[in-house]
Amino acid sequence: MAAAEGGKALSALLGGMAQAAYYGKADITEELLRGQLYPEAAPEEFRALRAKMGGLLQSIASADMDLNQLEAFLTAQTKKQGGITSDQAAVIAKFWKNHRVKIHESLVNQSCWDNVLKNMNWRVDLKAQSRHDDQINTPVAIVEMELGKNGQESEYLCLEFDEAKVSHMLKKLSEIEESMTALTQTT
Amino acid sequence: AVDKINLIPQDFFAELCEQIIQHLNHKNPGINTVELCQRLQTSGIEVNVDDLAKITNIVSFLFSTAARSNLSTEELSSALGSTVNTLPKHAVQVIRHVWSEQGKSVAVSENQRHMTTVGQFVDIKWKLGVAMSSDTCRSLKYPYVAVTLKVADPSGQITNKCFEMTVPQFKNFFRQFKEMAAVLETV
């Protein structure tokens, strides 16, 4: 295969594998990839290529390699027996630079098994009648939160907050923010 | 569920009725059915949270109906005696007692309004974590916030709703509450 052509095909192959492994496109099969990208290659030859590239991509994604680690890793691969060519290394490097953030995000999501906050809406109502006779026209916030696990149906939680409760919430959220700042400063 | 009332000792039932009527009087944020249930189970009493929730609803309904009809303690007793004849004697005694002490101050109009699906925010508990590694990714390293919202549903029962947020999701959450506070102030 000519280097440029091979480069394009390899890049597309990596893209296809990422779609299947990280972006949830389950219908991208080996057959599809071979037919589209390497029509002249024999099935076993293609399978071997796919396995090799897949393994490399997995290692890189699992370690969430930065550029230094990536260079060291790929260089080592070019020196191995049955490793990769330097052209292939260049294609892989370019691919990872472009897709690193998105792939990492996908891996993060895959590890989140609890409910997540999918969406949040709110409005402020004026209560015409209040709990206590001495307070009329008190404003309240009505907050709607969409909660759910990845890929499962959502639960809608609708909550009422008066001014005091919003203050309480803000106080707690500030505590979280402080902890977060302290955490990121020490890592 | 009414049969299960037979299983609940008088002092526990009295505590439950106290919480219910205090909630109707807006003196507490809600009724801790989960906690009461745990204590009952520890004492060897076979009641589950659902049973206790049903009993809570029944008693709550009794008290609010009595409030609406402005029943005196005598009138409530005779009403109980004639309609709900499966209530054990100790339960009737407790209901009578609680009603005679605190029945007068139960505000009626509020209960109608809250027969919607809006809950009351009670409190928030949080923890900050960093997911380090998983089977699909050895180098996850992502910080997240896990929160538990304590919420009182329209009938007053307190439940916990848990969910996780990533750092950007948390910042957005915080920002929304700040906006809410600003609007509440100006209304």
Side-chain angles (χ1 to χ4, degrees):
Chain A
M1 279 173 258
E5 270 310 302
K8 264 174 51 189
L10 178 58
S11 189
L13 175 62
L14 291 170
M17 291 193 298
Q19 288 282 333
Y22 307 114
Y23 304 152
K25 295 262 164 63
D27 51 2
I28 297 186
T29 61
E30 186 161 305
E31 225 355 84
L32 181 75
L33 288 171
R34 188 181 75 83
Q36 295 247 321
L37 305 171
Y38 294 87
E40 262 109 60
E44 317 82 60
E45 198 189 322
F46 178 73
R47 192 168 305 135
L49 176 69
R50 190 180 187 278
K52 179 153 60 171
M53 293 302 151
L56 291 177
L57 186 56
Q58 202 173 0
S59 298
I60 297 169
S62 187
D64 191 31
M65 289 187 194
D66 61 26
L67 294 179
N68 288 332
Q69 292 168 312
L70 184 68
E71 206 186 302
F73 177 73
L74 289 175
T75 310
Q77 292 297 319
T78 55
K79 299 207 159 72
K80 264 173 66 170
Q81 251 240 345
I84 56 176
T85 67
S86 46
D87 284 337
Q88 287 174 323
V91 172
I92 296 171
K94 185 157 171 227
F95 179 82
W96 182 244
K97 277 185 208 151
N98 288 332
H99 287 255
R100 180 187 178 188
V101 173
K102 233 179 130 189
I103 290 180
H104 191 70
E105 238 177 64
S106 164
L107 286 168
V108 160
N109 281 333
Q110 283 177 31
S111 310
C112 183
W113 306 318
D114 213 333
N115 280 328
V116 291
L117 180 64
K118 293 187 182 175
N119 201 9
M120 180 174 142
N121 293 309
W122 59 272
R123 69 168 198 267
V124 170
D125 281 3
L126 212 48
K127 257 186 166 168
Q129 187 184 4
S130 170
R131 289 176 179 254
H132 309 290
D133 295 328
D134 54 340
Q135 279 176 27
I136 44 168
N137 290 337
T138 38
V140 277
I142 312 282
V143 182
E144 183 190 70
M145 296 185 218
E146 185 185 349
L147 302 177
K149 305 197 183 173
N150 281 328
Q152 285 183 19
E153 247 185 71
S154 303
E155 177 195 347
Y156 289 88
L157 183 62
C158 199
L159 297 180
E160 200 179 272
F161 291 75
D162 61 21
E163 225 173 318
K165 292 195 177 141
V166 172
S167 289
H168 179 67
M169 177 66 105
L170 285 176
K171 183 159 154 280
K172 292 287 190 147
L173 295 178
S174 292
E175 283 172 15
I176 299 175
E177 192 176 51
E178 267 171 44
S179 283
M180 219 178 246
T181 315
L183 183 73
T184 49
Q185 275 172 1
T186 52
T187 49
Chain B
V2 180
D3 308 328
K4 296 288 177 129
I5 298 185
N6 281 310
L7 297 174
I8 304 176
Q10 188 162 21
D11 50 356
F12 274 109
F13 188 68
E15 208 184 312
L16 178 63
C17 291
E18 275 289 322
Q19 283 195 31
I20 293 172
I21 205 156
Q22 284 192 9
H23 179 67
L24 290 171
N25 280 329
H26 310 302
K27 292 217 181 99
N28 67 23
I31 301 140
N32 272 313
T33 31
V34 175
E35 192 240 2
L36 268 170
C37 189
Q38 276 172 354
R39 283 166 50 206
L40 280 165
Q41 285 173 350
T42 315
S43 311
I45 295 153
E46 288 191 28
V47 202
N48 63 36
V49 181
D50 278 335
D51 293 328
L52 208 55
K54 287 194 188 112
I55 294 171
T56 305
N57 284 338
I58 293 169
V59 177
S60 186
F61 178 71
L62 269 171
F63 282 144
S64 45
T65 310
R68 212 170 303 134
S69 317
N70 234 314
L71 296 184
S72 69
T73 315
E74 306 316 317
E75 288 167 324
L76 177 61
S77 295
S78 36
L80 282 176
S82 59
T83 54
V84 197
N85 52 14
T86 45
L87 266 186
K89 243 171 67 179
H90 75 265
V92 176
Q93 258 182 334
V94 169
I95 293 174
R96 257 189 73 113
H97 178 75
V98 170
W99 184 252
S100 68
E101 299 252 294
Q102 304 182 56
K104 301 270 160 37
S105 36
V106 175
V108 175
S109 49
E110 280 311 309
N111 297 326
Q112 314 285 34
R113 196 173 183 280
H114 286 285
M115 287 304 129
T116 58
T117 50
V118 178
Q120 285 289 325
F121 166 74
V122 176
D123 200 0
I124 172 174
K125 296 196 292 192
W126 60 270
K127 81 171 179 236
L128 188 57
V130 179
M132 293 303 289
S133 195
S134 76
D135 59 334
T136 47
C137 182
R138 293 294 186 266
S139 182
L140 269 179
K141 292 204 211 138
Y142 88 89
Y144 65 91
V145 183
V147 302
T148 296
L149 296 182
K150 278 179 105 162
V151 169
D153 72 16
S155 72
Q157 290 176 87
I158 295 183
T159 52
N160 289 332
K161 302 284 182 192
C162 320
F163 59 90
E164 272 182 29
M165 289 185 270
T166 61
V167 172
Q169 285 173 338
F170 166 75
K171 289 198 190 309
N172 178 50
F173 191 71
F174 197 179
R175 189 180 46 84
Q176 304 251 40
F177 275 92
K178 285 184 189 158
E179 281 175 24
M180 237 181 272
V183 173
L184 282 172
E185 242 176 273
T186 58
V187 166

